[in-house]
Amino acid sequence: MTARAAQPAGERRAYAVSRPVLPAVCRDAPELMAFAGDAEGRCEIFAWHAGTGERRQVTDRPEGTARCAIDPDGVIWWFAERADGTGTWLTQDFAGGADVPAFGGEPARGRPAGLALPGGTAAAGLLDGDRLTVRVGRRGEGPLRTLRFDGQARLAGYAPAAGLLAVARAPGHERAVTLHTVDGGAVAVLSGRGGRIWPLGFAPERGGATAGGAPEPAAGGAELLLVREDEDGYRLATWTPEGGLRAHAWCAFDTEITAQWVPGGREVLVRQERHGRSLLVLCDLTARTRRAVPVPGGTVLDAAADEGGAVHCLWTDTRTPARVLSTGTAARRLPPPPPEPPPLDAELRDLWTPGEDGPVHTLLALPPGRTGPGPVVFLIHGGPARHDKDAYDPAVHSLVASGLAVARVNYRGSTGYGPRWRAAWGRGVGLTQIEDLAAVRTDLVDRGIADPGATGLWGTSWGGYLVLLALGRQPGLWRAGVAVKPVADYAAAWALGTPELRALDTALFGGTPDEVPGRYARSSPVTYVAGVRAPLLVIAATRDAKCPPEQVRGYLAALRAAGGTCRELWLDSGHDGHDGAGHVRVLRHSLYFLARELRASRAGVSAPRDREGR
């Protein structure tokens, strides 16, 4: 691959599939960076030297590569992930050379579950079934310590001077956060029973100076940053060995946040997700002050701050692909972005539909010049603990360009609207969400925006699950549906899925399928196959560990036995593929299918057939 092929992932090309993040920056040599970018349609890892402007491709794998980090010595760490989500951490010198197992010897395999590179020694977590293994040691050498923890957990932080590890479980777990010595001894337990709690990493280690009358952690100590949820919102908190858990009540937010330490002090950069858009705030824990960081309206996909006070963020909105914005005096020289496409030509609106637990928020994109009712595609986010954002999406761009309006609905259970909205599951799993979709559809029809005979659904993963459930439960509302890598039979998906997802679903339903079979059956699309009458396209993956192919095949067989029909497309990939060819294939087939079925395709465009003839 040539350097010319390297492009920051997720910005322009829809077929380089990766979660957009800022480049990882070497702490002790900030001109050295690593990033995931596009390599002729695959996501791969690249090295970037800001001083010389040189970039080099680090990985070249048929499966693609999306996770990377860089340690204080300038060595790049990357995760060699397989289709089933398991893999191992490897390292490579910044200038190139052989790939070396992170801790030497035979590489350990598992699902990635945390990585901390504070310098000197490193810590990496891997999940294998229902056990977390954390290795602590020097890069390229055998681990000094190997610690094992039962249950679904992840490494959330490592403070080498204090010899402490933070391990996170589900935020509502009675042992949501546990602190351990590198010898495995228990130090503290933070429960999430009285309010869910998330650990966000230890502060960069520093001396014991004081400022503003508030004591700093002592030299060699450790300060862990956390977010705590209560019924009204989210607050920053910290934990130290000396003082235990301390809530910062003055630093509260009404909707979900994440945060990170700013190097060189006790400032924290907070990113708040609020009503489909992002806000940035710098909070000084010593001075007890908050300062908004100016960013345009839209979504911050990633953010970081320099010790000098400059803030860098990866920003986007519905019209604009992701781009880097910086505030302050310092400036990072980042890899050049790819050419930007023309901005989305659409009329954008925010729609609020009255609902039982409060108004349902929809991000609406209308084709330019539309007057009167027309076809609308509901583009449904997965999760469910996610939300649709005012962010660039190639699917929105393609649908609007094809004359189809797009509605992105943040149904109950979505993030970005506070803890009460997250917990509003009154009708049951899935049933609450499709009730919100139906309410928004009615609102769009009543407003003269949607043609009641031309509303369709398109969702991936848990969004694909909602497509199938809505088509079966609400057959009179939807003209067509596309379900990509969906949960189609909830009980079967539970039995065949990963331990992490089994734990999440058990918490969601309040038990396993054996313990509460009625709840799973009531919320499962396969229960309602006899009601499906709308044209349906199902796209699934043969090596999908999260939404296994067997439960999709079982749904399709039950649908046909009930007299229904379905177009299907199978991808030879996992759930989170990093080879963009499959992504392009999904986008193309879904777009043409919906355009045809909603009678809004442009003249001369016909639905494609894949080479297997499906």
Side-chain angles (χ1 to χ4, degrees):
M1 306 292 177
T2 64
R4 178 177 51 82
Q7 297 183 345
E11 292 195 2
R12 170 62 181 93
R13 296 190 179 192
Y15 40 89
V17 186
S18 175
R19 182 176 66 89
V21 294
L22 292 168
V25 179
C26 177
R27 185 194 67 189
D28 295 342
E31 70 275 11
L32 306 183
M33 305 180 191
F35 68 95
D38 176 58
E40 298 180 358
R42 272 195 337 277
C43 186
E44 296 291 358
I45 306 305
F46 292 84
W48 166 256
H49 194 298
T52 64
E54 295 178 356
R55 55 185 166 187
R56 177 184 66 82
Q57 186 168 334
V58 175
T59 61
D60 187 2
R61 306 170 62 243
E63 306 91 339
T65 316
R67 299 174 187 267
C68 69
I70 186 167
D71 67 23
D73 295 325
V75 173
I76 296 172
W77 293 56
W78 57 276
F79 192 74
E81 184 177 351
R82 302 185 295 192
D84 64 359
T86 65
T88 188
W89 284 105
L90 300 176
T91 65
Q92 188 182 121
D93 288 340
F94 187 85
D99 297 325
V100 178
F103 294 108
E106 184 66 22
R109 289 200 171 274
R111 299 181 187 279
L115 178 68
L117 305 175
T121 56
L126 291 173
L127 264 176
D128 182 8
D130 277 320
R131 185 176 68 172
L132 170 69
T133 299
V134 177
R135 288 172 170 79
V136 183
R138 295 187 178 276
R139 171 180 37 83
E141 302 176 7
L144 300 176
R145 299 284 188 274
T146 299
L147 298 88
R148 293 181 173 85
F149 305 91
D150 291 334
Q152 295 299 305
R154 64 177 175 86
L155 173 68
Y158 171 42
L164 287 178
L165 298 169
V167 173
R169 292 179 173 82
H173 196 279
E174 63 184 358
R175 296 169 60 83
V177 185
T178 55
L179 286 303
H180 305 266
T181 67
V182 293
D183 294 322
V187 174
V189 176
L190 307 180
S191 174
R193 293 296 194 217
R196 298 193 303 167
I197 191 166
W198 294 262
L200 300 176
F202 285 104
E205 291 171 345
R206 54 188 180 270
T210 62
E216 299 280 1
E223 186 171 21
L224 181 67
L225 180 65
L226 306 109
V227 171
R228 184 128 207 181
E229 179 187 82
D230 59 31
E231 63 180 10
D232 295 318
Y234 302 84
R235 305 174 192 276
L236 289 183
T238 50
W239 175 92
T240 62
E242 302 84 6
L245 184 65
R246 176 187 178 191
H248 300 278
W250 59 273
C251 204
F253 300 83
D254 63 345
T255 59
E256 285 81 350
I257 61 172
T258 188
Q260 59 183 281
W261 292 102
V262 175
R266 293 189 73 234
E267 269 198 317
V268 173
L269 178 62
V270 177
R271 183 169 90 241
Q272 181 182 14
E273 301 301 330
R274 192 172 194 279
H275 301 175
R277 296 177 174 87
S278 304
L279 302 170
L280 288 180
V281 180
L282 280 168
C283 298
D284 190 317
L285 301 185
T286 299
R288 294 168 60 92
T289 59
R290 295 168 55 150
R291 174 167 59 89
V293 178
V295 291
T299 294
V300 175
L301 301 171
D302 192 18
D306 294 338
E307 186 169 347
V311 175
H312 313 277
C313 68
L314 192 61
W315 173 89
T316 178
D317 66 11
T318 300
R319 298 185 190 275
T320 315
R323 58 178 58 168
V324 176
L325 303 179
S326 297
T327 66
T329 56
R332 295 182 183 179
R333 185 182 177 190
L334 299 174
E340 287 193 3
L344 174 66
D345 186 12
E347 179 187 349
L348 304 179
R349 302 183 191 175
D350 283 50
L351 181 74
W352 295 87
T353 301
E356 182 177 318
D357 291 294
V360 183
H361 183 207
T362 301
L363 299 167
L364 191 63
L366 300 174
R370 172 183 282 193
T371 58
V376 177
V377 174
F378 283 65
L379 197 58
I380 308 172
H381 74 76
R386 295 181 184 175
H387 65 278
D388 271 317
K389 305 166 181 167
D390 180 8
Y392 183 82
D393 186 336
V396 174
H397 200 292
S398 299
L399 287 164
V400 171
S402 299
L404 306 173
V406 179
R408 293 178 286 173
V409 180
N410 283 323
Y411 47 71
R412 280 171 287 178
S414 300
T415 54
Y417 300 83
R420 296 180 188 275
W421 192 254
R422 281 277 297 274
W425 292 77
R427 296 289 184 267
V429 176
L431 305 175
T432 302
Q433 288 68 44
I434 65 170
E435 182 179 84
D436 288 346
L437 297 178
V440 173
R441 178 191 177 278
T442 298
D443 195 8
L444 290 174
V445 170
D446 291 344
R447 292 173 185 256
I449 294 171
D451 176 351
T455 54
L457 302 163
W458 179 3
T460 299
S461 192
W462 210 78
Y465 153 71
L466 293 179
V467 170
L468 298 181
L469 188 63
L471 292 184
R473 289 272 302 190
Q474 303 163 338
L477 300 185
W478 310 108
R479 176 67 180 82
V482 175
V484 183
K485 301 178 183 177
V487 176
D489 180 335
Y490 232 125
W494 188 97
L496 297 165
T498 65
E500 302 98 299
L501 289 177
R502 283 201 294 273
L504 288 173
D505 290 339
T506 299
L508 198 61
F509 283 94
T512 69
D514 287 338
E515 293 167 341
V516 287
R519 295 180 189 175
Y520 281 81
R522 184 167 175 258
S523 294
S524 186
V526 74
T527 303
Y528 307 104
V529 290
V532 177
R533 290 294 176 261
L536 171 62
L537 169 62
V538 171
I539 301 176
T542 59
R543 294 181 285 162
D544 193 333
K546 294 181 178 179
C547 297
E550 295 87 350
Q551 51 96 31
V552 176
R553 292 192 179 100
Y555 173 89
L556 294 173
L559 176 65
R560 290 178 176 124
T565 60
C566 176
R567 286 180 58 86
E568 56 185 287
L569 172 65
W570 287 88
L571 306 172
D572 184 22
S573 68
H575 192 79
D576 302 307
H578 306 302
D579 181 356
H583 183 69
V584 170
R585 201 171 173 203
V586 169
L587 182 64
R588 177 172 173 260
H589 279 260
S590 303
L591 174 64
Y592 283 133
F593 178 83
L594 289 167
R596 182 191 64 195
E597 297 300 338
L598 300 180
R599 303 183 302 278
S601 60
R602 288 176 288 183
V605 177
S606 59
R609 294 176 66 85
D610 69 338
R611 61 186 177 186
E612 291 83 19
R614 294 191 181 94

